[in-house]
Amino acid sequence: MKTLSFTVNGAATQVEVEDHEYLAEVLRNRLGLTGTKIGCNEAECGICTVLVNGTPVVSCIYPALRAEGASVETIEGLAEGEKLHPLQEAFVEGGAPQCGYCIPGVIMTAKGLIDTNPDPTDHDIKVALKDTLCRCAGYSFITHAIQSAAKQIREGEKQNHLPALPETLAPLNVIGRPFPRPDAVLKVTGKALYSDDFNFPGMLHARTLRAKYPHARILKIDTAKAKALPGVHAVLTADDIPGEKNHGLVIQDWPALAVDKVRYIGDPVAIVAADTREIASAALALIEVEYEPLPVVSDPVQAHQPDAPLVMESGNLLKHIKVRKGDMDQGFAEADVILEETFHTPAYDHAFLEPECSIGRIDEDGRFEIIVGSQIPYQDRSQVARCLGVSDDQVRIKGALIGGGFGGKEDIAGQIHVALLTKVTGRPVKMLYDRHESLIFHPKRHATQITVKVGAKTDGTLTAVETILYGDSGAYASLGEKVMTRATTHSAGPYEVQNVKADCYAMYTNNPPAGAFRGFGVLQSAFAVESVMDMLAERLGIDPVELRRKNLHRVGTVTNTGQTLRESVGLGRCLELVSAEVEKRKEATQPASKNKRRAWGLAVGYKNTGLGGGAPDKSSAEVELYHDGTVQVRTSAAEIGQGLVGVVAMAAAEELGMKYEDVRVLLSDTDLTPDGGPTTASRQTFVTGNAARMAARTLRNAIEATLSELYDQPPQNIRFEEGLARVNGHSLPMSEVAQIFKREGREPKATYEYWAPKTQPLGTGGDMHFAFSYAAQAAEVEVDLDTGEVKVLQMVAAHDIGRAINPLALQGQIEGGMVMGLGHAMTEEFIVEDGIVFTDVLARYKMPSIKHAPPITSFIVEDAASTGPYGAKGVGEIASIPTLAAISNAVYNACGVRLHKLPVDQDSLLRALKSGNRTG
Amino acid sequence: MPLWEHYHRPSTVDQAIDNLAHYAGRARILAGGTDLLLEMQQGRTSPVAAVVDITQIQEIRAIEEADGYILIGAGVTHTAITHSALLTQKATSLVESCGVIGGPQVRNVATLGGNVAHALPAGDGTLSLVALAAEAEVAGPQGRAWRPIDSLYVGPGKSALNHTAEMITRFRLKPHAAGEGSAFKRIMRPQGVALPILGLGVWVNVVDGLIAATRIALGPAGPRPLRAAQAEAFLAGKAFSTELLPAVAEQVLADAKLRTSPHRATAEYRTELILPLLARALPLAVRRATTGHVTPEGIGEG
Ligand SMILES: Cc1cc2nc3c(=O)[nH]c(=O)nc-3n(C[C@H](O)[C@H](O)[C@H](O)COP(=O)(O)OP(=O)(O)OC[C@H]3O[C@@H](n4cnc5c(N)ncnc54)[C@H](O)[C@@H]3O)c2cc1C
Ligand code: FES
Ligand code: FES
């Protein structure tokens, strides 16, 4: 131990540290300054940035003792009491934080910039923030907020920090206005608490021993040496699980700890709890496991061969999914042109910046409490309870803030493990994954092979579409069947086609499992079908916009699954807006130099809102009026950055005629908040938005009833506005209303369980989904003919999302989704070779940084869904869906090479250009 | 087990050498740590008994011009190099190569010495040092000696330095005189490993419209940074024109040993890149040499 003397946020500080500690560890663990976040521990993500003597450095690899005598600034030092620093203020009002996990690092990097360059250009900002990542990808908001804050500092005058937003419908009192997120202030000040920010006295640190082989029989596990290591409190294997051995969201096929066999390299074999993380890591190395390696199944097509080794004893086929409509022979017979193409997409990682972390402890009543950032708290509860062998009510899931989910925090990570270790040790236990572990362990986006065969008449009418999909579901089911069902039902695109056949084989392999990921399979199939649409247009000599216009979904269309669309189909409008804007922009385009070619590409897409397929889809919310006149909305729907907190607060404020600021939201505590269901399938705005709205309306009705009796007025004479209940000339503040309820011995609260419209299972016809969102997107790219390098220069998009509840949050989701789609097309690829993960550090998985984020021109189409809250339908996923094909179509239009796999590979692109073989 | 047990922060080179000696093979020099600490963390380098942090040694943190040389301390950060007006004017390619390393937070701590000692054949700073015919001063138990940069490379990631006994203290190179200019360009890919597919540093001396001398450094094109000697000889005495480029590229290829690196680049692709890289760097260096006007390109855009 050495004494480190330095200045932290202006205060002289002395702290005892070990020689080998990093600055981030000292700040977080010794000084309790948990505002500094860790995303990778490998100098890649930049979110741990602090200022040392004014200079931005990544604190995760900064030896703490190097800070001796230095002045260190962290996010906690920016605000003066309640008064936010202009950067923080601009970030809040400008809508920059989404999940918020990157924000402290982004703000500190930005501070380093504007302290030395008070009037930065956008280019300066791009250079300064190049390696400070935001997976929610609010890059344009971040840039705008920095500019706005810098201006405020320069001019000493309060600025309006709101960025320009697309035009939307006239707002109601609250709905339709660009409010900042309720949790934004916490997120910009570093006070927002994510799982790893919680600590408890006596807390142990846990780690997981993972498989050594992607496929092997376990012959023997010997934990004796690990148990004997001083500081180790427990070493557990599958034998120590008192209840069910497996977990799984749909099919319980995933051993919480490997039994007999490992099926992928991330499979957990044993878990350890120790006094420190270092001891736990050392103990892992002492666990002896004898394996008998088995042949590896490494891709879904191979897995489907009759002689393939078996991943699951029951066979490698997780599910054969079928869509049938019309008569294929007839459809292809009617066609003048038939095209057939096969595409491949790789696995992708969510790369949420907050790696998984769970804390287990036993609460005052002797129940298990799990603190975790989870997308499905109530399912976590039952999954933990099942493995512990206790009833659900013995487990409480307390949601921490979530530093990005995107579908990757739906499956169980460490929740069951900390519960088991807590049970055995009686101590609080924290299990934090590092980036490496997060990458190899959690379910990915399905890698796919998709064949699309289309038939069309010379006038462009589609006569038949046949698709065959293979989805790599990896070692366990996770949500694989659901994801690939969505990929399959959407695989002919948002087009009206008389004859459709789709077959999908969701396969088990020895790769990391694949599960939910924003877009839920539809990204992959949209890439395939939208590429084919452009190829078909060329073949027919028809403009690609015209070809789409001719066939697209409209009111009255019968979808591939036999659903008649009765309303809210804004795709046509989206397409017109985007194509008109692109035409305008084409005229303004600068011709590139002689070795560079620029071109636009376009694609459309659609995505269901809600679970659909006959799954009961419901959510509950509770709304309570407090004596201080504020209202609290409670629901256990997860906030993963998408802005649900704001949506439910706005709905309650609207219904109760209150100010948005007077509504508080409590989420994801299975003791205190009713079940909101999973945060998946773009469903929360719709279902939980409706639940909150109806709960607030129920409360309003109760208030009306009470006041109408009290004042002897008919209920319709009672109005709610500006936080007051007005009745017969009286204006009662809501605090007084609360007191009236108290006096009458009644609770001013209401709960509402909202059931979304019923849906039908695939294959039965009727409404498989209760709403679809639509989008059209276009991208302009530049291809360097000498090097094959590709750049996305700008994008244009229109999204039909029913209703813009909060235009600021909406635009954040749209841009973030599009930049993620761009990442999938351009920068990201999760590589597994024979079951071994190559992409096992963040340095090998590049997500788009600020320098990749192009200017985006966005249009909002509000074709209302009658059952949606204020007409809204989902937005979380649609924005990523057309992006991949829009970019790939643009690449073709620029240089004539048709990409059949992603991401764009400049190496093979150049070789294709040079060889004249136009297939990449 | 911690990656290192003891942390030292000497304030002189002698102390640093003593610190290393004390641990007799079990201590390493730590500069920015952006290579070393990650290598240890990811198990590519074993943990050590001690790290000797050299960032406090003032002597190795200066950039100066003296006795006909530019002297750059091994502990100078890439940010400091990028901001140096002296280097911008008189060692341009070095500024361009250090300006594309990592992001600002990395450049704020990572050093030129670390880049060279890490010994990657495509270390960006390294390639420019080779093109600028720099020398490194190495201090060890036996004292200090100047060595040509190329002599520090044994193979990919293998330095001729004794990592547990020696350190680089300074680099020196001849400043651009009238008629001299340099440039650095590289090609990256947006996916995967953050190592350049190919980097190219060039230096030229133009006298009376003719190329009197050039130095062309390329990497990765072999186990060590490559000097394209045949291309240099080919250019000598010629009047530069872009029409020469394809022939220069052929000469470069004659020396280069281009490989396929999995998930990074095929040998075929690298071969195709020689010409466009030359086309980006060589005319630029010639223009700088003939006009004396220098505006570094691509700083911070790596
Ligand atoms: C996100 C990221 C991006 C990067 N991008 C690039 C890039 O684009 N191009 C590129 O070339 N590199 C890149 N790097 C690698 C790295 O930043 C550079 O090589 C850097 O210059 C290393 O310097 P350092 O001071 O951090 O070295 P350290 O990590 O401190 O040391 C590296 C090695 O050199 C030794 N050493 C350090 N200084 C001396 C000395 N004076 N004498 C003797 N031995 C010494 C150490 O013992 C160690 O073996 C990147 C790194 C990261 C983390
Ligand atoms: S760069 Fe430090 S946590 Fe990612
Ligand atoms: S807000 Fe930046 S990562 Fe989520």
Side-chain angles (χ1 to χ4, degrees):
Chain A
M1 285 287 211
K2 286 192 180 139
T3 306
L4 167 63
S5 305
F6 63 149
T7 307
V8 180
N9 296 326
T13 304
Q14 291 208 334
V15 55
E16 296 295 304
V17 307
E18 304 270 8
D19 277 43
H20 57 81
E21 276 179 74
Y22 291 109
L23 183 55
E25 295 175 289
V26 170
L27 292 171
R28 288 182 54 81
N29 305 339
R30 298 209 183 261
L31 300 176
L33 297 172
T34 55
T36 299
K37 301 297 176 211
I38 301 295
C40 68
N41 261 325
E42 44 169 304
E44 274 296 321
C45 73
I47 68 167
C48 63
T49 298
V50 300
L51 304 183
V52 175
N53 297 328
T55 302
V57 301
V58 283
S59 58
C60 68
I61 61 152
Y62 196 89
L65 287 168
R66 181 176 289 174
E68 178 69 29
S71 165
V72 173
E73 289 170 73
T74 71
I75 190 71
E76 288 90 350
L78 250 55
E80 290 169 24
E82 294 288 287
K83 194 173 156 14
L84 298 181
H85 184 277
L87 273 168
Q88 294 171 313
E89 184 186 308
F91 269 61
V92 169
E93 293 171 17
Q98 295 186 43
C99 82
Y101 199 70
C102 69
I103 293 298
V106 170
I107 291 182
M108 294 316 291
T109 313
K111 179 161 193 294
L113 170 68
I114 63 173
D115 281 354
T116 50
N117 177 0
D119 192 3
T121 63
D122 283 0
H123 181 261
D124 295 337
I125 293 174
K126 273 194 188 232
V127 166
L129 270 80
K130 184 201 142 236
D131 275 4
T132 310
L133 302 174
C134 173
R135 186 54 160 167
C136 302
Y139 291 123
S140 80
F141 297 85
I142 288 170
T143 305
H144 182 270
I146 295 171
Q147 290 290 15
S148 194
K151 185 151 188 257
Q152 178 159 322
I153 294 170
R154 282 197 311 276
E155 298 182 355
E157 222 169 82
K158 169 88 179 104
Q159 300 292 312
N160 174 4
H161 298 301
L162 200 64
L165 294 170
E167 213 172 290
T168 46
L169 291 178
L172 310 177
N173 279 331
V174 178
I175 297 297
R177 295 185 193 274
F179 286 110
R181 311 165 51 92
D183 55 15
V185 171
L186 291 178
K187 286 175 173 174
V188 300
T189 50
K191 291 186 186 139
L193 295 179
Y194 302 81
S195 308
D196 186 32
D197 300 333
F198 290 86
N199 290 296
F200 295 93
M203 189 172 79
L204 302 175
H205 297 266
R207 295 217 59 192
T208 308
L209 180 70
R210 302 211 173 258
K212 196 170 160 200
Y213 300 95
H215 197 194
R217 225 180 299 285
I218 298 175
L219 304 177
K220 195 175 141 206
I221 306 179
D222 185 346
T223 59
K225 284 186 194 148
K227 281 183 174 148
L229 187 72
V232 170
H233 292 254
V235 182
L236 307 182
T237 64
D239 291 342
D240 303 305
I241 300 176
E244 295 284 333
K245 304 279 184 201
N246 286 359
H247 64 87
L249 286 168
V250 182
I251 304 172
Q252 279 81 50
D253 65 354
W254 194 339
L257 286 163
V259 185
D260 304 336
K261 191 170 150 170
V262 291
R263 294 184 181 81
Y264 83 109
I265 202 80
D267 248 333
V269 175
I271 46 176
V272 174
D275 286 330
T276 67
R277 191 173 167 84
E278 287 70 35
I279 297 173
S281 304
L284 293 185
L286 296 175
I287 300 173
E288 291 164 7
V289 188
E290 260 176 57
Y291 292 100
E292 176 195 333
L294 297 168
V296 171
V297 185
S298 59
D299 88 80
V301 180
Q302 177 210 355
H304 201 213
Q305 302 302 316
D307 57 348
L310 289 183
V311 179
M312 284 290 168
E313 292 60 31
S314 52
N316 290 342
L317 182 67
L318 169 60
K319 185 86 179 174
H320 177 188
I321 301 144
K322 296 181 213 171
V323 174
R324 299 287 183 265
K325 179 189 181 190
D327 176 339
M328 297 313 287
D329 289 342
Q330 194 187 329
F332 284 117
E334 283 170 13
D336 299 314
V337 170
I338 295 176
L339 262 183
E340 182 175 336
E341 298 288 331
T342 298
F343 300 85
H344 289 93
T345 63
Y348 292 102
D349 194 85
H350 309 77
F352 33 71
L353 285 177
E354 181 213 17
E356 298 88 339
C357 178
S358 305
I359 300 172
R361 64 186 207 107
I362 292 171
D363 74 8
E364 296 66 29
D365 307 326
R367 295 157 71 229
F368 292 95
E369 178 180 298
I370 313 287
I371 297 174
V372 61
S374 159
Q375 290 183 232
I376 324 186
Y378 271 82
Q379 283 219 25
D380 280 7
R381 181 172 77 159
S382 51
Q383 300 215 64
V384 169
R386 266 204 305 270
C387 286
L388 286 177
V390 301
S391 60
D392 281 10
D393 61 11
Q394 288 306 300
V395 178
R396 173 184 190 176
I397 304 290
K398 250 173 113 167
L401 279 172
I402 306 179
F406 312 110
K409 290 177 180 166
E410 297 191 21
D411 293 279
I412 285 290
Q415 292 92 319
I416 293 170
H417 293 164
V418 293
L420 294 169
L421 290 167
T422 295
K423 183 178 157 77
V424 171
T425 61
R427 303 258 294 259
V429 177
K430 177 188 277 185
M431 175 150 327
L432 168 69
Y433 292 172
D434 60 17
R435 178 58 57 182
H436 170 76
E437 192 168 13
S438 174
L439 281 166
I440 64 169
F441 153 75
H442 75 241
K444 313 295 163 203
R445 188 187 295 291
H446 286 72
T448 61
Q449 171 181 306
I450 303 177
T451 303
V452 182
K453 182 176 170 192
V454 291
K457 294 195 177 153
T458 38
D459 71 352
T461 308
L462 297 176
T463 60
V465 178
E466 180 175 353
T467 55
I468 301 170
L469 302 89
Y470 283 88
D472 182 351
S473 237
Y476 298 104
S478 176
L479 286 161
E481 174 194 333
K482 306 271 176 213
V483 170
M484 289 316 294
T485 300
R486 220 59 78 229
T488 312
T489 57
H490 287 65
S491 64
Y495 303 111
E496 168 136 36
V497 191
Q498 297 310 321
N499 308 294
V500 177
K501 178 171 182 242
D503 285 279
C504 172
Y505 306 95
M507 304 303 302
Y508 285 112
T509 67
N510 294 118
N511 293 331
F517 192 165
R518 187 186 216 167
F520 223 72
V522 184
L523 255 76
Q524 296 95 311
S525 49
F527 166 60
V529 70
E530 287 297 284
S531 297
V532 169
M533 286 300 278
D534 262 33
M535 298 172 93
L536 180 64
E538 186 180 22
R539 194 56 181 274
L540 293 169
I542 298 179
D543 178 58
V545 173
E546 184 49 40
L547 178 67
R548 290 180 171 87
R549 193 180 282 136
K550 201 167 181 75
N551 293 289
L552 47 77
H553 276 183
R554 34 180 70 87
V555 171
T557 291
V558 179
T559 67
N560 308 334
T561 64
Q563 168 168 5
T564 305
L565 301 174
R566 290 181 299 272
E567 58 160 20
S568 191
V569 187
L571 180 56
R573 180 92 190 108
C574 290
L575 183 63
E576 298 318 320
L577 283 165
V578 168
S579 58
E581 181 67 22
V582 169
E583 287 313 312
K584 234 172 32 198
R585 280 167 186 268
K586 266 186 191 161
E587 284 166 26
T589 297
Q590 305 290 324
S593 68
K594 93 174 185 323
N595 299 330
K596 293 182 177 169
R597 293 269 188 286
R598 289 182 180 176
W600 285 86
L602 175 140
V604 298
Y606 74 134
K607 177 71 183 59
N608 60 293
T609 298
L611 303 176
D617 203 351
K618 63 173 176 132
S619 173
S620 305
E622 188 167 52
V623 174
E624 179 167 0
L625 177 62
Y626 282 80
H627 57 83
D628 61 357
T630 64
V631 153
Q632 187 179 52
V633 186
R634 295 186 283 266
T635 175
S636 90
E639 168 58 44
I640 54 176
Q642 83 279 39
L644 178 77
V645 266
V647 169
V648 296
M650 287 174 78
E654 184 72 48
E655 297 304 322
L656 292 165
M658 295 178 60
K659 284 200 290 211
Y660 173 67
E661 297 78 28
D662 289 338
V663 180
R664 291 167 293 124
V665 181
L666 179 69
L667 294 179
S668 296
D669 182 326
T670 57
D671 270 17
L672 303 178
T673 62
D675 191 359
T679 297
T680 190
S682 308
R683 66 184 281 281
Q684 287 296 11
T685 289
F686 196 103
V687 287
T688 302
N690 263 331
R693 173 182 179 221
M694 300 311 285
R697 206 174 266 182
T698 309
L699 177 60
R700 187 181 71 190
N701 291 342
I703 296 172
E704 279 169 0
T706 304
L707 295 185
S708 86
E709 207 167 288
L710 196 67
Y711 289 92
D712 196 17
Q713 288 288 320
Q716 57 270 26
N717 282 7
I718 299 166
R719 282 172 302 126
F720 295 86
E721 37 190 43
E722 291 161 15
L724 302 169
R726 295 193 203 276
V727 47
N728 197 19
H730 300 273
S731 286
L732 306 181
M734 290 306 255
S735 50
E736 209 169 310
V737 173
Q739 270 158 30
I740 293 171
F741 269 71
K742 277 267 141 63
R743 277 204 298 276
E744 298 192 354
R746 294 171 51 209
E747 294 224 57
K749 72 176 179 190
T751 306
Y752 194 92
E753 184 175 81
Y754 171 77
W755 286 78
K758 209 164 153 12
T759 57
Q760 295 297 324
L762 174 61
T764 61
D767 289 356
M768 191 172 165
H769 295 290
F770 50 73
F772 293 97
S773 299
Y774 290 94
Q777 295 181 1
E780 188 191 22
V781 306
E782 179 179 283
V783 179
D784 187 320
L785 302 180
D786 290 333
T787 62
E789 289 167 291
V790 178
K791 260 194 235 155
V792 178
L793 302 176
Q794 57 170 329
M795 297 194 70
V796 174
H799 291 82
D800 166 27
I801 43 70
R803 175 76 198 242
I805 293 205
N806 179 340
L808 181 63
L810 172 65
Q811 192 54 22
Q813 281 289 294
I814 287 178
E815 291 202 21
M818 290 175 69
V819 172
M820 189 178 263
L822 181 150
H824 281 29
M826 300 293 300
T827 67
E828 300 174 34
E829 181 175 16
F830 187 83
I831 301 170
V832 188
E833 293 165 316
D834 290 327
I836 307 289
V837 176
F838 171 79
T839 318
D840 66 347
V841 286
L842 202 63
R844 290 180 173 175
Y845 194 84
K846 298 288 185 197
M847 68 185 87
S849 77
I850 195 167
K851 79 168 186 180
H852 298 104
I856 292 174
T857 307
S858 170
F859 300 96
I860 304 298
V861 172
E862 293 167 284
D863 201 330
S866 54
T867 48
Y870 314 99
K873 42 192 184 179
V875 61
E877 299 175 281
I878 182 65
S880 303
I881 287 171
T883 321
L884 288 68
I887 290 172
S888 138
N889 287 339
V891 169
Y892 178 81
N893 293 337
C895 71
V897 176
R898 172 56 61 188
L899 302 170
H900 285 79
K901 69 198 229 315
L902 290 177
V904 176
D905 173 15
Q906 65 199 48
D907 190 317
S908 66
L909 183 65
L910 187 75
R911 286 182 286 124
L913 279 169
K914 296 281 173 182
S915 70
N917 166 11
R918 291 309 160 97
T919 299
Chain B
M1 196 168 76
L3 299 179
W4 67 89
E5 279 160 49
H6 303 283
Y7 172 88
H8 296 277
R9 205 175 183 212
S11 50
T12 67
V13 170
D14 288 348
Q15 280 171 16
I17 300 297
D18 284 349
N19 287 147
L20 287 177
H22 174 80
Y23 289 96
R26 292 168 55 243
R28 291 286 292 255
I29 296 283
L30 172 70
T34 60
D35 277 321
L36 180 66
L37 298 181
L38 299 182
E39 294 229 312
M40 293 205 291
Q41 212 175 75
Q42 292 163 16
R44 281 172 283 140
T45 297
S46 320
V48 291
V51 290
V52 179
D53 182 336
I54 57 172
T55 55
Q56 186 97 307
I57 304 175
Q58 289 313 312
E59 185 198 340
I60 65 162
R61 297 184 59 94
I63 303 172
E64 55 194 351
E65 196 173 1
D67 308 329
Y69 281 104
I70 290 177
L71 291 155
I72 307 165
V76 170
T77 63
H78 298 307
T79 299
I81 288 172
T82 313
H83 288 166
S84 161
L86 173 69
L87 297 178
T88 301
Q89 199 59 40
K90 297 185 177 176
T92 316
S93 78
L94 184 64
V95 168
E96 286 179 328
S97 52
C98 295
V100 295
I101 289 177
Q105 293 96 322
V106 164
R107 290 195 297 277
N108 285 341
V109 297
T111 64
L112 189 58
N115 198 261
V116 170
H118 191 50
L120 287 187
D124 289 307
T126 303
L127 285 176
S128 278
L129 287 175
V130 172
L132 298 175
E135 295 169 281
E137 184 187 48
V138 178
Q142 270 75 48
R144 300 189 186 197
W146 286 101
R147 299 197 212 162
I149 281 288
D150 329 33
S151 75
L152 294 183
Y153 290 83
V154 181
K158 270 218 186 69
S159 169
L161 289 171
N162 179 349
H163 272 309
T164 57
E166 297 179 323
M167 69 176 277
I168 306 172
T169 47
R170 293 180 298 173
F171 300 96
R172 72 176 181 196
L173 48 88
K174 295 279 189 200
H176 296 339
E180 296 177 7
S182 64
F184 175 84
K185 293 287 170 189
R186 70 174 193 184
I187 308 255
M188 296 284 283
R189 64 184 300 147
Q191 307 94 12
V193 193
L195 291 171
I197 290 175
L198 210 55
L200 180 78
V202 295
W203 169 91
V204 292
N205 178 17
V206 182
V207 179
D208 298 334
L210 300 181
I211 295 183
T214 66
R215 284 189 296 267
I216 300 176
L218 186 72
R224 308 155 35 153
L226 179 94
R227 274 284 294 276
Q230 300 189 50
E232 294 174 5
F234 170 81
L235 278 166
K238 294 204 168 62
F240 181 76
S241 109
T242 49
E243 265 132 54
L244 286 177
L245 288 170
V248 180
E250 258 176 52
Q251 298 296 325
V252 171
L253 276 169
D255 278 326
K257 290 180 194 58
L258 300 172
R259 279 200 316 124
T260 293
S261 340
H263 307 305
R264 199 160 136 218
T266 58
E268 211 181 333
Y269 180 56
R270 285 189 163 128
T271 306
E272 294 288 354
L273 291 185
I274 302 277
L275 178 57
L277 263 179
L278 279 169
R280 288 176 190 186
L282 196 51
L284 183 61
V286 170
R287 195 157 64 235
R288 286 170 178 168
T290 43
T291 63
H293 293 306
V294 172
T295 311
E297 293 184 356
I299 303 297
E301 293 169 9

